[in-house]
Amino acid sequence: MSRSVFEIRAVGEVPRDLLDDFEGATVSREPGGSTIHVVLGDDAELHGLLAALSREGFALVDVRREPDVEPGDD
C-alpha cells in the first residue's frame, strides 16, 4: 500500500503535541505560521489531521500532496 507525503501550512504556531497521533509528523515554525510534513496512509488520516487542526482553531493556508512513497521508502 502506498503512502502519501503531505505538506500542510497553517496560520499560527502548531504545538508538537497536536501531532502525537501522526507518527513521523514534523512541524517547522515560520513567521506567522507553521508547516507540517507528514506521511499518511489514506484520506481518513489526512482528514483526521485537518480536523484536529480545525478543532484547535488553526486556519489552513495550503495543503500539498507530494509524490507517493512506496512501503519502506518513508
Side-chain angles (χ1 to χ4, degrees):
M1 173 177 168
S2 66
R3 296 167 59 78
S4 298
V5 177
F6 290 90
E7 179 182 274
I8 301 166
R9 294 178 49 221
V11 176
E13 291 190 21
V14 175
R16 176 69 190 113
D17 63 341
L18 183 65
L19 305 175
D20 285 348
D21 291 335
F22 303 93
E23 184 178 335
T26 61
V27 61
S28 56
R29 291 178 177 80
E30 299 136 10
S34 298
T35 300
I36 301 163
H37 287 93
V38 63
V39 178
L40 301 172
D42 58 25
D43 287 346
E45 285 186 287
L46 173 61
H47 291 285
L49 175 53
L50 298 178
L53 291 167
S54 179
R55 276 192 308 273
E56 295 297 319
F58 292 100
L60 295 178
V61 174
D62 191 27
V63 177
R64 293 183 187 194
R65 179 179 175 192
E66 298 179 7
D68 287 348
V69 176
E70 294 302 319
D73 290 347
D74 59 329

